[in-house]
Amino acid sequence: MNHFLDIHKTDQSALRGIIDQARAMKDARKGCPRGTPDADQPLAGHMVALIFEKPSTRTRVSFDVGVRQMGGQTMVLSGTDMQLGHGETIADTARVLSRYVDLIMIRTFDEAVLTEMAEYADVPVINGLTDRTHPCQIMADVLTFEEHRGPIKGKKVVWSGDGNNVCSSFLHAAGQFGFDLTFTGPAQLDPEAEFVGFARNKGSRVTIERDPVNAVEGADLVVTDTWVSMHDSQSSKERRHNLLRGYQVNEELMSHAKPDALFMHCLPAHREDEATSAVMDGPHSVIFDEAENRLHAQKAIMRWCLDK
């Protein structure tokens, strides 16, 4: 069964096929209103469960629209709707949902919820986000880079800030797609050693550089993410701001990257914190192309999961 749980758990040829499929599907829709069905309807007659333990804008809308464009139907469920893992075990929920739907996307906190869902489901499961990884986002990011600059293989990507779940999936992608990644941020927020090791074992150069100016020298792509979560306490937010203030992506920092370097942020953003509006709205930024490409990448992921 084709679960899409993480980039490092998916075959390299399958990942490349998903990116190529996403780009072809996007090209085929040029000029079409958003509500226009795709020319082919690979999800016709299919029901997709979209489970959200964590709130979402881009994930919810992009998956919902993508399923509809491909002819399927969605059932959107929150954690409170389901009492996931509380009123019923994850395993039993997976078994029950498998009798009703053809595909499950889950956005959750604990990675163990995702893996247990996949273990017991009889239908494919997609990781919409966990506290450790965010693979759908990075597939969209790879698609976005290649639209603008060609193959990402051999390029230098710089991550500035917190070595969080999005950074983790970027490390997985570095190993699978063959690009190098430099992390610049405070030691307290370094990415997980396991994920750094994965990329290095695949032959990617992974560098930890505390000086952000040195880090972005020669960068083809500079990426950051929000410094705080909506669930962080006020004291935690203040601590993280103090740690990360020196890693803000601003015009001065971008001036040290390649002249044609791209800037990405998966959104939502706290403008003037992790990145300035001058960068987010400036000539290097592709953040809204990146947001749109969640739709196209996830459509291709769903097709792959269902062998469509």
Side-chain angles (χ1 to χ4, degrees):
M1 192 181 309
N2 290 334
H3 296 306
F4 188 78
L5 303 183
D6 270 313
I7 288 172
H8 69 309
K9 296 177 180 177
T10 307
D11 183 77
Q12 288 176 325
S13 62
L15 293 169
R16 173 48 57 191
I18 289 168
I19 295 295
D20 293 345
Q21 174 86 81
R23 189 158 187 178
M25 294 178 74
K26 181 177 182 179
D27 289 344
R29 288 192 59 84
K30 283 182 179 176
C32 295
R34 307 301 184 209
T36 304
D38 287 353
D40 61 338
Q41 295 282 276
L43 265 60
H46 288 71
M47 178 66 72
V48 180
L50 306 177
I51 302 172
F52 294 93
E53 282 201 294
K54 296 186 81 166
S56 164
T57 299
R58 274 151 296 280
T59 301
R60 177 168 180 165
V61 175
S62 56
F63 267 106
D64 200 347
V65 171
V67 172
R68 295 180 190 213
Q69 287 181 350
M70 293 191 292
Q73 299 183 61
T74 59
M75 177 182 297
V76 181
L77 301 165
S78 71
T80 54
D81 291 333
M82 305 179 66
Q83 297 184 328
L84 196 62
H86 303 292
E88 183 176 47
T89 66
I90 304 298
D92 285 353
T93 298
R95 292 182 179 109
V96 169
L97 284 177
S98 297
R99 301 297 180 99
Y100 302 142
V101 304
D102 302 289
L103 180 66
I104 298 169
M105 187 289 301
I106 181 166
R107 181 180 172 95
T108 187
F109 295 90
D110 189 348
E111 183 182 57
V113 173
L114 169 75
T115 55
E116 188 172 353
M117 181 73 72
E119 180 180 356
Y120 290 96
D122 294 326
V123 298
V125 174
I126 295 173
N127 176 1
L129 174 142
T130 71
D131 285 345
R132 289 192 82 198
T133 60
H134 196 0
C136 290
Q137 178 63 58
I138 303 316
M139 293 297 284
D141 292 355
V142 171
L143 172 62
T144 304
F145 183 90
E146 294 196 341
E147 278 185 327
H148 287 269
R149 296 290 183 267
I152 197 168
K153 184 175 182 178
K155 301 299 185 180
K156 179 180 178 180
V157 175
V158 176
W159 180 278
S160 182
D162 178 10
N164 63 9
N165 54 351
V166 185
C167 180
S168 296
S169 287
F170 248 116
L171 283 163
H172 291 155
Q176 297 289 61
F177 287 97
F179 58 86
D180 299 326
L181 190 143
T182 297
F183 172 83
T184 186
Q188 299 94 320
L189 298 176
D190 275 353
E192 290 191 41
E194 174 189 336
F195 301 151
V196 172
F198 171 83
R200 285 175 173 165
N201 288 339
K202 286 284 190 175
S204 295
R205 184 186 302 113
V206 179
T207 305
I208 307 295
E209 170 58 68
R210 302 298 171 204
D211 185 327
V213 172
N214 290 340
V216 301
E217 290 287 346
D220 297 286
L221 170 63
V222 179
V223 192
T224 191
D225 194 8
T226 182
W227 290 346
V228 297
S229 166
M230 66 182 72
H231 305 288
D232 289 339
S233 65
Q234 187 58 38
S235 60
S236 175
K237 290 178 181 179
E238 290 173 1
R239 173 180 169 274
R240 291 173 71 82
H241 273 84
N242 290 334
L243 283 171
L244 289 161
R245 191 167 287 117
Y247 296 95
Q248 181 191 71
V249 182
N250 49 41
E251 288 179 296
E252 166 61 22
L253 186 63
M254 288 299 298
S255 72
H256 295 277
K258 286 184 178 177
D260 65 345
L262 299 179
F263 168 75
M264 291 188 191
H265 187 310
C266 69
L267 304 177
H270 296 85
R271 286 172 177 256
E272 315 311 328
D273 283 350
E274 64 267 15
T276 61
S277 290
V279 170
M280 294 182 68
D281 299 327
H284 298 283
S285 177
V286 290
I287 60 173
F288 296 112
D289 290 343
E290 183 186 3
E292 178 189 345
N293 281 338
R294 286 288 301 278
L295 169 65
H296 308 295
Q298 289 162 185
K299 285 170 69 175
I301 289 167
M302 288 187 280
R303 291 188 71 152
W304 175 78
C305 285
L306 292 169
D307 286 325
K308 298 291 184 178

